[in-house]
Amino acid sequence: QPGALSYGTSGVGSTHHLSQEQVRQLTGAELVHVPYKSGFAAIQDVFTGQIPISYSILSSGAAFIKSGKVKVLAQVGERRGVALPDVPAIAELAPGFEPPPSWTALFGPLGLPPAVLRRLNADTVKAVNRPDVSAKLSEIGFDPIANSPEEFAVLIRRQIDLVGRIVKAAGIQPTD
Protein backbone atom coordinates (compact mmCIF):
# COMPACT_ATOMS: atom_id res chain seq x y z
CA GLN A 1 0.00 0.00 0.00
CA PRO A 2 2.37 2.74 -1.19
CA GLY A 3 1.83 6.00 0.65
CA ALA A 4 -0.41 4.48 3.34
CA LEU A 5 2.11 4.90 6.17
CA SER A 6 3.88 8.05 7.21
CA TYR A 7 7.13 8.48 9.11
CA GLY A 8 8.53 11.41 11.03
CA THR A 9 12.08 12.73 11.04
CA SER A 10 13.92 15.77 12.31
CA GLY A 11 13.56 17.40 8.90
CA VAL A 12 14.14 17.35 5.16
CA GLY A 13 17.64 16.15 4.33
CA SER A 14 18.31 14.89 7.86
CA THR A 15 20.18 11.64 8.34
CA HIS A 16 16.91 9.95 9.16
CA HIS A 17 15.16 11.29 6.05
CA LEU A 18 18.08 10.10 3.92
CA SER A 19 18.00 6.72 5.66
CA GLN A 20 14.37 6.10 4.70
CA GLU A 21 14.96 7.37 1.17
CA GLN A 22 17.75 4.82 0.83
CA VAL A 23 15.47 2.08 2.24
CA ARG A 24 12.89 3.09 -0.37
CA GLN A 25 15.49 2.92 -3.12
CA LEU A 26 16.60 -0.55 -1.98
CA THR A 27 13.21 -2.07 -1.18
CA GLY A 28 10.51 0.00 -2.89
CA ALA A 29 8.86 0.76 0.50
CA GLU A 30 6.93 3.98 -0.18
CA LEU A 31 6.29 5.89 3.05
CA VAL A 32 5.13 9.51 3.35
CA HIS A 33 7.78 11.75 4.90
CA VAL A 34 6.59 14.08 7.66
CA PRO A 35 9.41 16.50 8.56
CA TYR A 36 9.42 17.81 12.13
CA LYS A 37 11.49 20.54 13.76
CA SER A 38 13.12 17.92 15.98
CA GLY A 39 13.46 14.17 16.26
CA PHE A 40 12.00 14.34 19.76
CA ALA A 41 8.80 15.91 18.41
CA ALA A 42 8.53 13.14 15.82
CA ILE A 43 8.92 10.30 18.31
CA GLN A 44 6.57 12.07 20.71
CA ASP A 45 3.92 11.93 17.97
CA VAL A 46 4.52 8.18 17.60
CA PHE A 47 3.98 7.87 21.36
CA THR A 48 0.69 9.79 21.14
CA GLY A 49 -0.48 7.97 18.01
CA GLN A 50 -0.29 10.94 15.61
CA ILE A 51 2.05 9.06 13.24
CA PRO A 52 2.92 5.36 13.11
CA ILE A 53 6.70 5.49 12.59
CA SER A 54 9.59 7.78 13.41
CA TYR A 55 13.31 7.80 13.00
CA SER A 56 15.02 9.12 16.12
CA ILE A 57 18.28 9.07 17.97
CA LEU A 58 18.24 6.70 20.91
CA SER A 59 18.56 9.38 23.56
CA SER A 60 15.40 11.15 22.28
CA GLY A 61 13.39 7.95 22.37
CA ALA A 62 14.81 6.31 25.49
CA ALA A 63 12.00 7.29 27.86
CA PHE A 64 9.34 6.19 25.38
CA ILE A 65 11.14 2.90 24.76
CA LYS A 66 11.58 2.21 28.49
CA SER A 67 7.87 2.90 29.09
CA GLY A 68 7.02 0.14 26.61
CA LYS A 69 4.82 2.53 24.61
CA VAL A 70 7.23 2.68 21.66
CA LYS A 71 8.97 -0.30 20.07
CA VAL A 72 12.29 -0.07 18.26
CA LEU A 73 11.88 -1.75 14.87
CA ALA A 74 15.42 -1.37 13.55
CA GLN A 75 18.66 0.53 14.09
CA VAL A 76 20.07 2.79 11.41
CA GLY A 77 23.32 1.07 10.62
CA GLU A 78 25.22 -1.73 9.00
CA ARG A 79 25.41 -3.67 12.26
CA ARG A 80 23.56 -3.87 15.55
CA GLY A 81 24.43 -1.30 18.17
CA VAL A 82 25.82 -2.03 21.61
CA ALA A 83 22.88 -0.42 23.41
CA LEU A 84 20.23 -2.55 21.64
CA PRO A 85 21.91 -5.80 20.60
CA ASP A 86 18.58 -7.60 20.02
CA VAL A 87 17.31 -5.02 17.54
CA PRO A 88 18.31 -5.63 13.90
CA ALA A 89 20.28 -3.13 11.89
CA ILE A 90 18.58 -1.77 8.76
CA ALA A 91 21.34 -3.37 6.67
CA GLU A 92 20.13 -6.77 7.92
CA LEU A 93 16.64 -5.99 6.63
CA ALA A 94 17.61 -4.06 3.49
CA PRO A 95 20.82 -5.53 2.05
CA GLY A 96 23.06 -2.87 0.55
CA PHE A 97 22.00 -0.21 3.06
CA GLU A 98 24.83 2.13 4.01
CA PRO A 99 24.02 4.56 6.80
CA PRO A 100 24.11 8.23 5.84
CA PRO A 101 26.40 10.42 7.95
CA SER A 102 25.54 10.53 11.60
CA TRP A 103 28.62 11.16 13.62
CA THR A 104 30.06 13.56 16.11
CA ALA A 105 33.63 14.64 15.52
CA LEU A 106 36.33 16.92 16.81
CA PHE A 107 37.44 19.49 14.22
CA GLY A 108 40.22 22.08 14.25
CA PRO A 109 41.16 25.02 12.07
CA LEU A 110 42.74 24.56 8.65
CA GLY A 111 46.52 24.60 8.94
CA LEU A 112 46.61 23.12 12.44
CA PRO A 113 50.26 22.14 13.05
CA PRO A 114 50.72 18.36 12.53
CA ALA A 115 52.17 17.90 16.02
CA VAL A 116 49.13 19.55 17.61
CA LEU A 117 46.77 17.51 15.42
CA ARG A 118 48.49 14.25 16.41
CA ARG A 119 48.40 15.18 20.10
CA LEU A 120 44.70 16.13 20.01
CA ASN A 121 43.89 12.92 18.14
CA ALA A 122 45.90 10.74 20.54
CA ASP A 123 44.29 12.35 23.60
CA THR A 124 40.81 12.03 22.09
CA VAL A 125 41.33 8.36 21.16
CA LYS A 126 42.63 7.69 24.67
CA ALA A 127 39.56 9.35 26.23
CA VAL A 128 37.03 7.62 23.95
CA ASN A 129 38.64 4.24 24.62
CA ARG A 130 38.40 4.61 28.40
CA PRO A 131 35.97 1.93 29.59
CA ASP A 132 33.80 4.39 31.54
CA VAL A 133 33.58 6.86 28.64
CA SER A 134 32.97 4.15 26.06
CA ALA A 135 30.27 2.57 28.25
CA LYS A 136 28.50 5.90 28.76
CA LEU A 137 28.59 6.70 25.04
CA SER A 138 27.20 3.24 24.21
CA GLU A 139 24.47 3.66 26.83
CA ILE A 140 23.12 6.75 25.07
CA GLY A 141 23.29 5.18 21.62
CA PHE A 142 26.73 6.06 20.31
CA ASP A 143 29.06 3.34 19.09
CA PRO A 144 32.43 5.03 19.63
CA ILE A 145 34.98 4.90 16.83
CA ALA A 146 38.30 6.54 17.51
CA ASN A 147 40.05 6.76 14.17
CA SER A 148 42.84 8.82 12.66
CA PRO A 149 42.32 12.14 10.88
CA GLU A 150 43.20 10.40 7.60
CA GLU A 151 40.65 7.62 8.16
CA PHE A 152 38.01 10.18 9.06
CA ALA A 153 38.74 12.20 5.91
CA VAL A 154 38.18 9.06 3.80
CA LEU A 155 34.89 8.43 5.64
CA ILE A 156 33.73 12.01 5.01
CA ARG A 157 34.52 11.78 1.27
CA ARG A 158 32.67 8.43 0.99
CA GLN A 159 29.65 9.80 2.81
CA ILE A 160 29.50 12.97 0.70
CA ASP A 161 29.25 10.67 -2.33
CA LEU A 162 26.58 8.52 -0.63
CA VAL A 163 24.44 11.54 0.33
CA GLY A 164 24.75 12.93 -3.19
CA ARG A 165 23.49 9.66 -4.68
CA ILE A 166 20.55 9.41 -2.24
CA VAL A 167 19.52 13.06 -2.71
CA LYS A 168 19.75 12.85 -6.51
CA ALA A 169 17.81 9.58 -6.72
CA ALA A 170 15.12 10.85 -4.33
CA GLY A 171 14.87 14.28 -5.98
CA ILE A 172 15.26 16.03 -2.62
CA GLN A 173 15.32 19.81 -2.97
CA PRO A 174 16.36 22.42 -0.40
CA THR A 175 13.50 23.99 1.53
CA ASP A 176 13.12 27.56 2.67
Side-chain angles (χ1 to χ4, degrees):
Q1 297 177 351
L5 286 177
S6 59
Y7 72 99
T9 71
S10 58
V12 174
S14 66
T15 295
H16 297 128
H17 179 208
L18 297 176
S19 293
Q20 180 55 36
E21 284 299 330
Q22 189 179 170
V23 168
R24 182 189 60 76
Q25 292 165 20
L26 293 168
T27 68
E30 293 283 346
L31 304 178
V32 177
H33 181 225
V34 180
Y36 282 77
K37 291 187 182 220
S38 72
F40 181 78
I43 198 165
Q44 188 172 24
D45 273 4
V46 170
F47 177 75
T48 61
Q50 299 300 309
I51 59 172
I53 302 167
S54 172
Y55 280 77
S56 177
I57 60 172
L58 183 58
S59 60
S60 290
F64 300 113
I65 295 164
K66 287 179 184 172
S67 74
K69 302 286 184 173
V70 171
K71 180 179 180 175
V72 180
L73 303 174
Q75 300 181 64
V76 175
E78 294 175 295
R79 64 188 189 301
R80 294 175 186 221
V82 175
L84 299 170
D86 296 332
V87 176
I90 289 179
E92 292 177 60
L93 307 171
F97 179 83
E98 183 179 349
S102 181
W103 35 257
T104 301
L106 179 63
F107 290 93
L110 186 64
L112 193 65
V116 174
L117 176 63
R118 294 284 169 228
R119 172 77 191 270
L120 285 170
N121 180 252
D123 288 349
T124 302
V125 167
K126 183 178 176 183
V128 168
N129 287 331
R130 281 184 34 192
D132 60 327
V133 172
S134 183
K136 186 62 176 175
L137 289 170
S138 294
E139 180 183 310
I140 60 173
F142 290 96
D143 290 329
I145 300 170
N147 56 13
S148 71
E150 295 79 15
E151 291 167 324
F152 188 56
V154 168
L155 173 69
I156 290 172
R157 284 191 293 277
R158 189 175 79 235
Q159 290 187 329
I160 287 170
D161 179 59
L162 172 67
V163 168
R165 289 191 320 256
I166 295 169
V167 167
K168 184 177 179 181
I172 297 171
Q173 296 294 318
T175 59
D176 294 332

